[in-house]
Amino acid sequence: TPATGGRLRFEHADLANGEYNPDGAIAATDYRFPAADASVDVSFAGSLFTHLLEPEAVHYLAETARVLAPDGRAIVSLHIEPAPGTRYSGSEARIDVEPAYFLELAARVGLVLAERPGDLCGQEILVLRRQ
């Protein structure tokens, strides 16, 4: 953090995850992002939603909407090949979701698509903004 001149802040949270941290102290659905409402200009979730079960993803989208500044942007990446007949599938090792369904989940909490730059390293990149 000191090397960023105060522009970035990093936080560690002991969140439970069946695949990567089964003994975590905090359920992901209970976690509150450590930022004030409407205070974050850029939120980056690289390969995060690819490991969140749907209730956790909805909660993280809501938290993103809460902390994102009016002109802020949230950059997220997704695996986009859910199992046939599903829109959201997988385990915490790898989650796949249809982009249209992810955007529906985002819209429920006040986030909309600002840009869709495409694929980066096998994941679809979406840039979201507040409605």
Side-chain angles (χ1 to χ4, degrees), residues 54 57-58 61-62 88 97 100-111:
E54 189 170 344
V58 169
L61 285 167
Y88 201 109
V97 60
Y101 184 60
F102 187 84
L103 291 172
E104 285 177 29
L105 297 175
R108 291 180 195 169
V109 299
L111 296 172

Side-chain angles (χ1 to χ4, degrees), residues 33-119:
F33 291 0
D37 294 359
S39 67
V40 174
D41 294 319
V42 177
S43 168
F44 180 72
S47 202
L48 172 66
F49 287 96
T50 60
H51 301 284
L52 295 177
L53 301 175
E54 189 170 344
E56 297 166 344
V58 169
H59 177 71
Y60 274 47
L61 285 167
E63 279 294 288
T64 300
R66 179 184 68 77
V67 303
L68 205 60
D71 291 330
R73 296 293 185 263
I75 303 163
V76 304
S77 67
L78 307 170
H79 289 298
I80 60 170
E81 297 174 356
T86 68
R87 301 179 83 188
Y88 201 109
S89 66
S91 70
E92 290 162 311
R94 178 184 169 137
I95 295 291
D96 282 82
V97 60
E98 286 181 354
Y101 184 60
F102 187 84
L103 291 172
E104 285 177 29
L105 297 175
R108 291 180 195 169
V109 299
L111 296 172
V112 295
L113 183 67
E115 185 179 349
R116 190 169 178 179
D119 180 87

